[in-house]
């Protein structure tokens, strides 16, 4: 009999302290050094920020969205994040809507200096770059928790052995496990903070005992030394993983 090990975590774009309470089944993402606000993410998109789920970023003049006659709405923010952007002044308060070059569905379009722009919500962007300098934090054997320092960010993860096979660079949503412990030879790793990734394949061990003992160390080593492995982890950090 086989079973699977998985985590169903949907990322909510709320700030863990000041923003609205996240819906049931989601978790809050706290904005920190590993998370940036931007209409376009360079690396990982962790969530979408709107005036509804992050009221601390919303226009403070009482109007929090622009709404068209077709009921298309976009958030008004208290700060300007793009140039150009839509400026709306309410009394003595000026608020802004983001503009991104190009077209999109169900949004507002504006043409400026022969360039078409569309409105866009802010995004929570992860700053984890698989090509950044990364160092190993050596874990204890016979544990599951591993860590590494990549750029200026400490990444924490977990390890697990199962019967799901793969090669370095592969990622999966769930690790399949065998109730026959000796069959669980394949080492998989995932990031748990600053955001959650899918599982990335690390290596295969000759025995399940060796896998249970050393999988965690292999996760930390692969994370520090192998850009392909880091890419498999970083690429699967996104909303809904």
């Amino acid at each position: 009999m086989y079973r699977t090990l998985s985590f169903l975590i949907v990322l909510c774009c709320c700030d863990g302290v000041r923003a609205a309470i996240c819906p049931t089944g989601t978790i809050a993402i706290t904005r920190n050094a590993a998370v940036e606000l931007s209409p376009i993410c360079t690396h990982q998109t962790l969530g979408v920020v709107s005036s509804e789920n992050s009221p601390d970023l919303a226009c403070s003049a009482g109007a929090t969205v622009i709404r068209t006659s077709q009921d298309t709405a976009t958030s008004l923010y208290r700060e300007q994040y793009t140039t150009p952007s839509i400026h709306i002044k309410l009394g003595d308060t000026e608020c802004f809507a983001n503009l991104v070059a190009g077209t999109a569905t169900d949004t507002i379009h504006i043409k400026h200096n022969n360039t078409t722009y569309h409105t866009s919500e802010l995004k929570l962007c992860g700053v984890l770059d698989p090509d950044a300098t990364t160092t190993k934090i050596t874990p204890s054997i016979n544990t599951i928790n591993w860590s590494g320092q990549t750029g200026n960010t400490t990444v924490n993860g977990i390890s697990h052995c199962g019967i799901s096979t793969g090669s370095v660079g592969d990622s999966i949503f769930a690790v399949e496990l065998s109730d026959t412990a000796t069959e669980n030879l394949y080492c998989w790793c995932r990031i748990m903070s600053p955001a959650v990734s899918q599982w990335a394949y690390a290596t295969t061990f000759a025995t399940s005992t060796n896998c249970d003992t050393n999988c965690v160390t292999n996760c930390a080593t692969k994370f520090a030394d192998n850009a392909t492995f880091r890419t498999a982890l970083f690429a699967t950090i996104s909303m809904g993983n």
Side-chain angles (χ1 to χ4, degrees), residues 173-208:
F173 180 77
V175 177
E176 190 174 8
L177 309 177
S178 173
D179 288 337
T180 303
T182 55
E183 296 178 348
N184 295 311
L185 306 175
Y186 303 94
C187 173
W188 293 82
C189 321
R190 84 182 305 175
I191 293 173
M192 298 303 292
S193 71
V196 180
S197 74
Q198 293 183 8
W199 295 94
Y201 175 84
T203 193
T204 303
F205 288 90
T207 68
S208 59

Side-chain angles (χ1 to χ4, degrees), residues 34-76:
V35 180
E36 296 178 345
L37 291 170
S38 176
I40 300 174
C41 294
T42 303
H43 301 300
Q44 305 83 23
T45 301
L46 306 179
V48 178
V49 178
S50 68
S51 55
E52 178 182 4
N53 58 37
S54 287
D56 57 308
L57 301 177
C59 174
S60 59
T64 56
V65 298
I66 303 173
R67 193 178 301 276
T68 69
S69 59
Q70 288 76 35
D71 209 32
T72 296
T74 190
S75 294
L76 284 172

Side-chain angles (χ1 to χ4, degrees), residues 37-176:
L37 291 170
S38 176
I40 300 174
C41 294
T42 303
H43 301 300
Q44 305 83 23
T45 301
L46 306 179
V48 178
V49 178
S50 68
S51 55
E52 178 182 4
N53 58 37
S54 287
D56 57 308
L57 301 177
C59 174
S60 59
T64 56
V65 298
I66 303 173
R67 193 178 301 276
T68 69
S69 59
Q70 288 76 35
D71 209 32
T72 296
T74 190
S75 294
L76 284 172
Y77 299 96
R78 64 179 63 203
E79 296 183 22
Q80 182 176 355
Y81 293 94
T82 63
T83 302
S85 61
I86 297 175
H87 297 233
I88 293 181
K89 193 166 186 178
L90 300 167
D92 294 328
T93 301
E94 189 173 23
C95 297
F96 310 89
N98 302 320
L99 289 176
V100 176
T103 61
T105 58
D106 298 324
T107 187
I108 300 169
H109 290 85
I110 290 178
K111 192 168 186 178
H112 175 68
N113 290 338
N114 294 319
T115 299
T116 299
Y117 296 87
H118 66 273
T119 55
S120 174
E121 301 289 7
L122 279 176
K123 296 178 176 63
L124 289 169
C125 301
V127 299
L128 299 177
D129 180 357
D131 296 322
T133 300
T134 304
T135 57
K136 176 181 174 181
I137 300 174
T138 303
S140 301
I141 61 173
N142 290 312
T143 61
I144 65 168
N145 297 306
W146 58 270
S147 301
Q149 184 76 22
T150 181
N152 296 319
T153 303
T154 298
V155 169
N156 300 299
I158 58 174
S159 62
H160 205 83
C161 298
I163 60 169
S164 301
T165 62
S167 57
V168 174
D170 291 345
S171 60
I172 56 177
F173 180 77
V175 177
E176 190 174 8

Side-chain angles (χ1 to χ4, degrees), residues 192-236:
M192 298 303 292
S193 71
V196 180
S197 74
Q198 293 183 8
W199 295 94
Y201 175 84
T203 193
T204 303
F205 288 90
T207 68
S208 59
T209 299
N210 283 341
C211 193
D212 289 338
T213 300
N214 298 305
C215 180
V216 65
T217 302
N218 203 275
C219 290
T221 301
K222 282 284 196 309
F223 182 76
D225 297 342
N226 194 303
T228 301
F229 179 78
R230 288 195 299 274
T231 298
L233 288 170
F234 294 168
T236 60

